[in-house]
DNA sequence: TTGAAAGCGCTAACAG
DNA sequence: CTGTTAGCGCTTTCAA
């Protein structure tokens, strides 16, 4: 049934070692020998047992990527990019999701969920610094996203404050002054959407516009329905924003849905800017202006960081190993939700 | 550094086997003994080496799910469901994507991409029957989606013809008669969207409406941009449909975007029905009516099918093993793209 | 250049 | 109830 190196060796009348050499493209093998062994391999349909190889070499060729939710297209798109980059390094990706729950994130970070992996890329939401302290000799870890931890792990995130400022600035330049902020879920342990909210405050301040904290609304989660609920709450409270900056595209899309339902025009009555540049944002009745993080760069940096930790076992404690702040770029994409259908600013 | 069973055994002054028994919750162990061993485990921070266990047991605890594209929310949502179901069986999911390319699908089906797995769930697009014939003793395989193969593998798909007929019938009942069909990418090897197109033809015929083949448009792919392009092509050709049935939600969303751009009202001018019920379809300016396959059931059946093939090694050739047609349910979800804002049918 | 033998860490027989 | 031993399939010294 299952053919092993031994079977091939017997068939070819050589030793196991020789077959292994052929399989692994070891340089010093006689062409004749190689041919003979290859023949036996083909005849028997031999396929190496990766598990055994991994046991021997101590590596599995698998890295895990854990994100809050695959249903969020931002993470789905990012996952696709990570899979592609990993494939270039001959690595396969094991995907896991945490629902943004601290318990799940802890489990993942300690390797209890995704096992048998050489490295881990984690995008946490609720995880705390202390949760990571207890990590012992688990595989290399790279952190993604807004949260920062003062621990010796590489961290990859765009400059969230700068990005938020750019978005708000765009709205200000368009003449908007009553700019609401729709945030993500309220965390149990920390202020959600922290950096983006800071950016909102800072840019308003710099521009000389008073930040109205009543225009800040948090949601139950980070999905479209949460954006819709938050927007409804804002309007029901009697607020009349002339612009909305949302924590992410999904919240922006949910918010716009409520505006449509209530007969509010986008951008004439309310301009909207999102965050993430998911594909979906280009195809609504009103396409969405948004901050576009460089997802390709994020994926590349994440995978390369893991690969680096994998390679440099010797210099495990060397300087700069696994405690870098990696900052991919972003850009503001201006679409109809701020510029209007014509492509030029629209104001009533 | 790395602590193994042996280290723990020495520390606790017992044999390796005893430690193994404790680790695996083997029933017949003295509480005292168990406590002593557990202490040693904790002191040393022992964690079992899964790779070694897998080599020994011949199983890895990992199944692979390969879909065309994670960027398509239907597959992302399905993947999330599969991950959850697999977790209930103590299995982890390795996700891969094929871009719907035949080469990639072949590689995946033969285990060259996702390696070290106990089973495989594959959602093929271009794969041909012959490509699967050469599979030797690769891990159990389950096929998902519209394509059918006359091979001894379980196949899971909703009744696509019935679903398509339901969608078309809904439009007919609303009084629409010029119903266009927007298909998926034209395959190199087979008619795309085959079953759904058959359903479209069949329902029109049964209803006594002549099927106008000029109202059938295929796209370059299965994304929003492809739907937009197809819709533009249809309109530019001078066709004036009063309804559109799209191969999937993304194509429907892309098509609607073009309608909005051209000032056509949905559903007054053109009613639209999609397929998949991705979350996104509920949140557009005009929410999308669609066919909702039971994703939970699909995920459950897929994982259970793999588990079954894994368990019944003895009855590997037994009747019914791995050649069943599993058919989860679906339902028509009526939203604004056919009923209009008021929730009741709208016609100009 | 190729062969023999050891061992990665674990589990499964089989004794005791 | 616990210990001893063999071996999963592979790579890797060390010899030849």
């Amino acid at each position: 049934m299952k053919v092993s190196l031994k079977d091939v060796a017997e068939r070819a009348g050589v030793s196991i070692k020789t077959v292994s050499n052929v399989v692994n493209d070891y340089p010093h093998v006689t062409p004749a020998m190689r041919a003979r062994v290859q023949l036996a391999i083909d005849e028997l349909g031999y396929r190496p047992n990766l598990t055994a190889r991994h046991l021997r070499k101590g590596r599995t060729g698998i890295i895990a990527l854990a994100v809050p939710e695959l249903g969020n297209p931002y993470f789905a798109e990012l996952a696709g990019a990570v899979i592609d980059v990993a494939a270039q390094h001959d690595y396969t990706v094991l995907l896991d999701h945490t629902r943004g729950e601290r318990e799940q994130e802890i489990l993942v970070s300690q390797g209890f969920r995704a096992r048998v992996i050489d490295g881990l890329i984690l995008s946490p939401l609720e995880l705390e610094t202390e949760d990571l302290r207890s990590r012992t000799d688990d595989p290399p870890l790279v952190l993604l996203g807004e949260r920062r931890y003062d621990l010796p792990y590489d961290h990859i995130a765009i400059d969230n404050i700068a990005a938020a400022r750019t978005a708000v600035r765009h709205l200000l330049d368009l003449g908007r002054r009553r700019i609401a902020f729709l945030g993500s879920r309220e965390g149990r342990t920390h202020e959600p959407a922290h950096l983006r909210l800071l950016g909102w405050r800072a840019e308003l301040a710099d521009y000389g516009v008073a930040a109205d904290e009543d225009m800040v609304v948090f949601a139950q989660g980070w999905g479209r329905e949460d954006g819709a609920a938050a927007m409804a709450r804002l309007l029901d409270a009697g607020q009349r924003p002339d612009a909305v900056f949302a924590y992410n595209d999904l919240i922006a899309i949910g918010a716009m849905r409520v505006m449509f339902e209530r007969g509010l025009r986008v951008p004439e009555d309310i301009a909207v800017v999102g965050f993430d540049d998911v594909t979906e944002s280009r195809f609504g009745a009103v396409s969405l202006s948004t901050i576009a993080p460089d997802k390709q760069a994020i994926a590349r940096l994440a995978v390369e960081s893991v690969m680096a930790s994998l390679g440099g076992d010797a210099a495990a404690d060397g300087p700069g190993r696994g405690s870098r702040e990696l900052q991919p770029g972003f850009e503001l994409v201006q679409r109809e939700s701020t510029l209007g259908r014509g492509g030029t600013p629209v104001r009533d």
Side-chain angles (χ1 to χ4, degrees), chain A residues 103-160:
Chain A
E103 304 308 320
Q104 299 293 333
E105 293 177 349
I106 292 174
L107 284 172
V108 164
S109 78
Q110 298 186 154
F112 278 113
R113 287 277 301 281
R115 306 164 296 190
V116 207
I117 57 171
D118 290 344
L120 172 62
I121 302 170
L122 173 62
S123 180
L125 239 29
E126 295 280 345
L127 198 72
E128 290 303 309
T129 301
E130 63 202 72
D131 300 332
L132 248 28
R133 283 240 169 68
S134 58
R135 262 177 68 94
T136 54
D137 58 356
D138 287 300
L141 171 67
V142 179
L143 272 349
L144 255 43
E146 206 170 344
R147 299 291 308 277
R148 288 182 69 160
Y149 301 88
D150 192 23
L151 290 169
Y153 299 113
D154 278 353
H155 178 232
I156 301 171
I158 66 168
D159 185 338
N160 274 279

Side-chain angles (χ1 to χ4, degrees), chain A residues 62 193 213 220 272:
Chain A
I62 299 176
E213 294 293 335
Q220 296 298 315
V272 181

